[in-house]
Amino acid sequence: MKYDYLIVGAGFAGCVVAERLASKMGKKILLIDRRYHIGGNAYDSINEYGIRIQHYGPHLFHTNSEYVFSYLSHFAGWRHYEHRVLAWVHGKFVPMPVNRTTINLLFGYSFTTDDQVKKFYESERESIGEITNSEEFVRSKVGKKLYELLYKGYTTKQWGCDPSKLSPSVCGRLPVRTNTDDRYFTDKYQVIPTDGYASLFSRLTSHQNIHIEMNTNFVDVPTNRYKRIVFTGPIDEFFGYVYGTLPYRSLRFEFKTYDQEYVQSVAQQNYPNDFNYIRSTEYKHITGQKNRKTTISLEYPIETGDPYYPVPNNNSESIYSKYFSLAQKLQSVYFAGRLGTYRYYNMDQVVAGSLRLFEKISGNTF
Ligand code: FAD
């Protein structure tokens, strides 16, 4: 069969572009992935105990984009789910992101108003001129004590370097609150697919013009057969690392099943200062499944392995900009997704970017 497009990577980026090209333009697509399953890092399945687990850690869908939400709603029904996270600090669990309850629990206050907490932050925060990294970002917002209790250890473990070596955007992803809102996200839409992500992905790719080949690596595919390529793998890999490797952070996941209904009070527990793992996730809180057993995953950050997180700092940005310039020169190859654009994007941002890419390719705005 002759294909119009080779799409590399069957995560959100690859599947969304494939779906649009096939259903809106009638293009014939070969979608490949080196893994054994579609869905990229959002892949989930039911384990041997009947519990739905997410193989690459918790994936909470949240967005303010009507456009992205209504597009994905063609392929999934939704369960409304608001994520909550507790961090283990000095022998107690406190809400993350930091809120009034966190401050009261950590420092023994009984603050009841936003104003009291605001004044507390004002008394703690440090005056730092230009913010150039994540440590400065946090200390300028909440001061050294909170930085050391909640941010320094977690960030150092996750990224394998001190927060002072990371761009402000890393710790800037989390809000700092004065109220008692303990939700992790405040987006308008906070959902997970009722039948799981794997089912969302199989609907996304069900068009007859999309042919999928798993366990297939891009390097093993004769690319001269394809007029156009959409590449959602690591951009440095595509160019044979000519400018060196871009830094990525990886993870090792350990799954444990317990013979009891729940082991945590919320879906996610963070461990900023103890243990080698950074967080523990209990999936039944997310999926709402009923089962007398429960499965959790522990995440151990590691140096090498699957590239999960692009590392945002000045060095990686300067390497990426060279690859980006090379990519700009190619007429028939498009780069998309978290790895193809080397951006620490959430799922909704990847979907939005992929829809925009399709608009660019098709020359239409839908
Ligand atoms: P991916 O999902 O990484 O898919 C890329 C695919 O390309 C992979 O399947 C890979 O095997 C394949 N591939 C790469 N190179 C090749 C090659 N050479 N040949 C063939 N195939 C190749 N986002 C949220 O919105 N909410 C969350 O709660 C959330 N939690 C996350 C937790 C973790 C631990 C991680 C790592 C990410 C999380 N994300 C979350 C981000 C989310 O995973 C991404 O935004 C999204 O999955 C990116 O989709 P993608 O298609 O760009 O990349």
Side-chain angles (χ1 to χ4, degrees), residues 8-15 32-35 37 39-42 56-62 173 185 197 216-219 231-234 237 251 253 279 299 306-309 336-340 345-348 350:
V8 182
F12 267 107
C15 292
I32 63 164
D33 201 299
R34 59 185 166 198
R35 285 175 172 159
H37 58 77
N41 289 339
Y56 306 94
H59 276 71
L60 302 320
F61 190 85
H62 57 101
R173 286 165 74 91
F185 308 111
Y197 285 99
T216 306
N217 199 324
F218 176 63
V219 289
F231 190 82
T232 76
E237 182 184 315
L251 290 167
F253 297 94
R279 60 180 177 174
E299 281 168 57
D306 272 3
Y308 290 128
Y309 297 107
R338 222 185 206 205
L339 303 170
Y345 282 146
N346 285 326
M347 294 180 280
D348 65 324
V350 168

Side-chain angles (χ1 to χ4, degrees), residues 3-106:
Y3 297 101
D4 300 304
Y5 283 81
L6 169 68
I7 300 189
V8 182
F12 267 107
C15 292
V16 166
V17 178
E19 187 282 325
R20 289 287 86 183
L21 287 170
S23 70
K24 289 283 172 194
M25 296 177 76
K27 299 292 183 196
K28 291 197 169 53
I29 313 292
L30 175 60
L31 176 60
I32 63 164
D33 201 299
R34 59 185 166 198
R35 285 175 172 159
Y36 69 91
H37 58 77
I38 56 172
N41 289 339
Y43 176 64
D44 61 6
S45 74
I46 307 277
N47 70 8
E48 59 194 294
Y49 307 100
I51 298 165
R52 186 181 298 286
I53 54 160
Q54 300 178 336
H55 289 234
Y56 306 94
H59 276 71
L60 302 320
F61 190 85
H62 57 101
T63 190
N64 284 317
S65 165
E66 202 81 48
Y67 183 42
V68 167
F69 183 69
S70 71
Y71 169 73
L72 287 180
S73 299
H74 293 292
F75 310 98
W78 304 111
R79 162 182 154 80
H80 178 68
Y81 167 73
E82 289 179 340
H83 194 53
R84 286 182 169 77
V85 176
L86 294 175
W88 178 248
V89 182
H90 290 336
K92 55 182 123 173
F93 281 114
V94 300
M96 269 309 266
V98 178
N99 68 5
R100 193 190 302 159
T101 315
T102 316
I103 302 303
N104 285 341
L105 282 169
L106 285 179

Side-chain angles (χ1 to χ4, degrees), residues 1 42 64 111 155 159 208 210 242 292 302 317 354 358:
M1 180 158 174
N64 284 317
F111 293 147
T155 312
W159 296 95
Q208 59 184 8
I210 302 175
V242 284
R292 61 177 188 79
I302 49 174
E317 204 41 49
S354 306
F358 168 68

Side-chain angles (χ1 to χ4, degrees), residues 75-245:
F75 310 98
W78 304 111
R79 162 182 154 80
H80 178 68
Y81 167 73
E82 289 179 340
H83 194 53
R84 286 182 169 77
V85 176
L86 294 175
W88 178 248
V89 182
H90 290 336
K92 55 182 123 173
F93 281 114
V94 300
M96 269 309 266
V98 178
N99 68 5
R100 193 190 302 159
T101 315
T102 316
I103 302 303
N104 285 341
L105 282 169
L106 285 179
F107 303 112
Y109 294 116
S110 310
F111 293 147
T112 52
T113 65
D114 290 43
D115 207 41
Q116 287 171 306
V117 185
K118 194 166 158 237
K119 286 201 177 102
F120 170 80
Y121 292 143
E122 270 158 18
S123 69
E124 292 290 317
R125 78 168 48 119
E126 295 171 45
S127 154
I128 297 170
E130 194 197 342
I131 307 292
T132 59
N133 61 56
S134 267
E135 173 174 353
E136 289 172 355
F137 179 86
V138 177
R139 290 176 65 159
S140 73
K141 286 248 180 261
V142 296
K144 188 173 175 208
K145 273 189 270 177
L146 276 169
Y147 166 71
E148 288 188 342
L149 286 175
L150 289 165
Y151 297 86
K152 185 175 164 61
Y154 193 91
T155 312
T156 305
K157 253 197 273 183
Q158 179 169 11
W159 296 95
C161 66
D162 197 79
S164 62
K165 304 280 184 299
L166 292 164
S167 116
S169 65
V170 173
C171 288
R173 286 165 74 91
L174 277 186
V176 173
R177 298 186 180 133
T178 53
N179 59 20
T180 54
D181 187 349
D182 63 348
R183 294 169 308 157
Y184 202 69
F185 308 111
T186 52
D187 300 51
K188 181 170 175 190
Y189 301 104
Q190 302 188 42
V191 290
I192 58 146
T194 323
D195 301 329
Y197 285 99
S199 149
L200 183 160
F201 281 100
S202 63
R203 288 183 200 141
L204 258 177
T205 52
S206 64
H207 195 283
Q208 59 184 8
N209 285 6
I210 302 175
H211 178 74
I212 302 174
E213 281 181 14
M214 305 313 306
N215 303 306
T216 306
N217 199 324
F218 176 63
V219 289
D220 300 325
V221 173
T223 49
N224 53 6
R225 283 200 210 145
Y226 306 95
K227 278 190 280 189
R228 286 166 188 265
I229 297 172
V230 177
F231 190 82
T232 76
I235 188 167
D236 53 340
E237 182 184 315
F238 180 91
F239 288 110
Y241 308 104
V242 284
Y243 296 126
T245 52

Side-chain angles (χ1 to χ4, degrees), residues 304-360:
T304 51
D306 272 3
Y308 290 128
Y309 297 107
V311 182
N313 61 29
N314 291 341
N315 174 46
S316 63
E317 204 41 49
S318 114
I319 303 174
Y320 171 69
S321 66
K322 293 184 194 161
Y323 285 120
F324 179 74
S325 300
L326 283 187
Q328 293 289 85
K329 291 186 187 124
L330 298 178
Q331 298 295 320
S332 53
V333 185
Y334 304 95
F335 292 84
R338 222 185 206 205
L339 303 170
T341 61
Y342 199 71
R343 288 287 170 268
Y344 186 17
Y345 282 146
N346 285 326
M347 294 180 280
D348 65 324
Q349 295 170 302
V350 168
V351 173
S354 306
L355 293 173
R356 275 196 304 274
L357 174 60
F358 168 68
E359 287 169 6
K360 183 177 152 192

